[in-house]
């Protein structure tokens, strides 16, 4: 069955701007962001604990205490029950069983599309394993967006949030980026840099919206005013603060020796992203 919507899947590392990108896309009147939908089982079963990384816990992006207090997600739950006799609590969108994975993801995306009326659904789960599995679901029209960030900025943000050492974080950056590039080499996809999104959001969005089947709307820049129901606990800075962070924060936090170490450890990934 041909779908009347597309799925923009944001793949990349944490702290690379996926929440901001999802909000900017969600602010288009024909788009809807489900956020980090790989965690929907935890949200539906109230298992997402509050933490520094996710201060909202199991709350919906609209501010409702949980998705069960949110009218939108209750409507999605009703649509899922109508279609398959299941509820949001039953969905296993990360199942290791390929058939179950495909059935439950189709059920979720079809239900979200019907309730929202959106032509573009944004899944900002980021996980490469989830993208790889979604790409095997030939009935789902998935368009990957590879979101990249300067390794010094990404690693700086990870360290601030309680990440491991520079050595481990930079090594993970290199390995994860190279693995993502290998998967995307055989798949049509879009590329976007976090720095471009922060410094020139209109230009960055204009470049990705058309391949996604929509035109850029000025209202997208006012993302904070748009209705949101995405599953994500990240707190976003004000736009001016975000621009300052891109330009200054990692330079202030990382000394020259750690900057040099990050450059050395991530050089293969940096070189590979410049080539493709």
């Amino acid at each position: 069955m041909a779908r009347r919507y597309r799925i923009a899947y944001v793949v990349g590392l944490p702290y690379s701007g996926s929440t901001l990108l999802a909000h900017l896309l969600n602010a288009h009147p024909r788009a809807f962001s489900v956020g980090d939908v790989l965690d929907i089982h935890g949200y539906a079963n109230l298992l997402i604990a509050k933490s520094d990384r996710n201060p909202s816990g199991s709350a919906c992006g609209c501010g409702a205490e949980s998705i069960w207090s949110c009218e939108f997600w209750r409507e999605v739950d009703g649509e899922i029950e109508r279609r398959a006799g299941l509820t949001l609590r039953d969905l296993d969108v990360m199942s290791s069983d390929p058939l179950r994975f495909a059935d439950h993801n189709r059920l979720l995306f079809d239900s979200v599309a019907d309730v929202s009326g959106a032509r573009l659904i944004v899944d900002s789960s980021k996980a490469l394993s989830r993208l790889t599995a979604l790409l095997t679901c030939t009935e789902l029209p998935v368009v990957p967006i590879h979101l990249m960030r300067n390794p010094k900025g990404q690693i700086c943000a990870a360290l601030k949030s309680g990440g491991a050492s520079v050595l481990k974080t930079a090594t993970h950056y290199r390995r994860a980026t190279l693995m993502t590039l290998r998967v995307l080499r055989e798949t049509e996809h879009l590329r976007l840099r976090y720095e471009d999104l922060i410094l020139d959001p209109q230009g960055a969005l204009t470049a990705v919206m058309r391949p996604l089947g929509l035109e850029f709307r000025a209202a997208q820049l006012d993302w904070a005013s748009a209705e949101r129901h995405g599953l994500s606990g990240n707190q976003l800075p004000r736009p001016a603060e975000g621009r300052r962070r891109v330009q200054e924060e990692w330079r202030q936090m990382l000394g020259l020796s750690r900057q040099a170490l990050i450059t050395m450890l991530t050089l293969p990934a940096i070189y590979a992203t410049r080539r493709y």
Side-chain angles (χ1 to χ4, degrees):
M1 179 183 74
R3 263 71 185 175
R4 60 175 177 79
Y5 62 87
R6 295 182 183 181
I7 301 166
Y9 186 91
V10 183
V11 62
L13 289 162
Y15 312 108
S16 292
S18 61
T19 301
L20 175 60
L21 175 58
H23 286 351
L24 286 163
L25 293 174
N26 178 79
H28 192 285
R30 302 304 303 276
F32 182 87
S33 171
V34 290
D36 299 347
V37 76
L38 83 171
D39 292 326
I40 197 166
H41 176 81
Y43 280 91
N45 291 278
L46 307 181
L47 300 176
I48 306 296
K50 293 184 178 181
S51 64
D52 290 341
R53 184 175 176 183
N54 187 353
S56 301
S58 294
C60 177
C62 69
E65 185 176 348
S66 75
I67 61 175
W68 301 111
S69 304
C70 170
E71 181 179 353
F72 174 82
W73 284 108
R74 289 201 305 270
E75 288 187 35
V76 171
D77 184 65
E79 181 65 18
I80 289 171
E81 185 173 12
R82 184 188 70 79
R83 287 170 174 265
L86 301 174
T87 74
L88 284 167
R89 293 186 177 92
D90 302 318
L91 292 187
D92 186 3
V93 299
M94 294 298 290
S95 176
S96 59
D97 179 342
L99 291 178
R100 184 179 177 87
F101 178 93
D103 287 344
H104 283 209
N105 277 281
R106 280 195 296 264
L107 179 59
L108 175 63
F109 286 123
D110 286 351
S111 299
V112 167
D114 278 355
V115 173
S116 68
R119 287 174 47 194
L120 178 68
I121 299 174
V122 184
D123 180 347
S124 54
S125 296
K126 296 179 291 298
L128 181 62
S129 59
R130 174 165 171 75
L131 172 61
T132 303
L134 284 173
L135 291 174
T136 67
C137 302
T138 55
E139 293 182 15
L140 289 177
V142 179
V143 181
I145 302 178
H146 187 194
L147 184 60
M148 297 167 282
R149 184 175 183 178
N150 179 311
K152 296 184 181 70
Q154 191 275 333
I155 292 166
C156 174
L159 293 174
K160 280 183 60 180
S161 299
S165 66
V166 168
L167 176 62
K168 290 183 178 180
T169 310
T171 300
H172 176 66
Y173 182 102
R174 182 186 71 240
R175 290 174 177 171
T177 300
L178 292 175
M179 287 176 61
T180 301
L181 293 177
R182 280 196 290 272
V183 169
L184 294 177
R185 188 177 296 127
E186 306 300 326
T187 304
E188 289 189 18
H189 63 282
L190 305 175
R191 309 167 202 161
L192 184 60
R193 296 189 181 277
Y194 170 76
E195 291 76 14
D196 294 336
L197 189 63
I198 288 290
L199 297 174
D200 182 16
Q202 179 171 339
L205 286 173
T206 299
V208 300
M209 293 303 295
R210 190 166 297 172
L212 294 173
L214 298 172
E215 297 291 334
F216 168 77
R217 298 284 185 90
Q220 290 179 258
L221 300 181
D222 188 22
W223 58 263
S225 299
E227 182 178 356
R228 301 192 300 275
H229 297 285
L231 310 180
S232 174
N234 289 353
Q235 300 295 305
L236 295 182
R238 295 185 301 275
E241 185 181 354
R243 288 191 291 272
R244 180 186 61 77
R245 288 184 179 182
V246 166
Q247 297 170 347
E248 299 177 7
E249 188 176 45
W250 63 261
R251 291 185 175 90
Q252 295 174 351
M253 180 176 171
L254 300 172
L256 293 177
S257 60
R258 291 204 290 178
Q259 291 180 37
L261 178 60
I262 291 171
T263 297
M264 180 182 69
L265 292 172
T266 61
L267 190 59
I270 295 170
Y271 178 69
T273 56
R274 288 177 178 171
R275 287 187 61 197
Y276 96 124

